[in-house]
Amino acid sequence: MTIETNSEQETFFVGQRLGEEARPGQIIALDGDLGVGKTILTKGLAAGLGITEPVSSPTFTIVQIYEEGRLPLYHFDVYRIGDIEEMEEIGYEDYFYGNGICLIEWANLIEELLPPQTVYISIEKDLERGFDYRKITIQN
């Protein structure tokens, strides 16, 4: 499925809908260049889960945990992962195979750890279509 958005608000709403439809144990691999809107989509997903606390990218902590919503959200940013063993050190399996939602930014860096049922989402810009244009591709 491909969705085109033309504002941060529209990208947020795509994430919100994903959060409203999220199921326990779901893993979402989120990829896209820096500044493409991954965190905006994640904020929307959190809102769709009923999470009201501020959501930010966990670049320096690898995983940020939000537990106040309908389902827990485990927000990973693996951009700075140097070795797959770092994921084992933080106990990624407890998150991946738990009852929450795992959203993983830069998931292509740990692709070998992702289970077959992972939902893949990529976000792309196209400046010829406007500064705020985003093409969001979702593959189940």
Side-chain angles (χ1 to χ4, degrees), residues 12-23:
F12 179 92
F13 287 143
V14 170
Q16 186 173 13
R17 177 142 186 200
L18 289 169
E20 291 167 352
E21 296 174 358
R23 300 175 317 276

Side-chain angles (χ1 to χ4, degrees), residues 21-34:
E21 296 174 358
R23 300 175 317 276
Q26 191 169 27
I27 298 175
I28 300 170
L30 181 58
D31 285 308
D33 292 334
L34 287 170

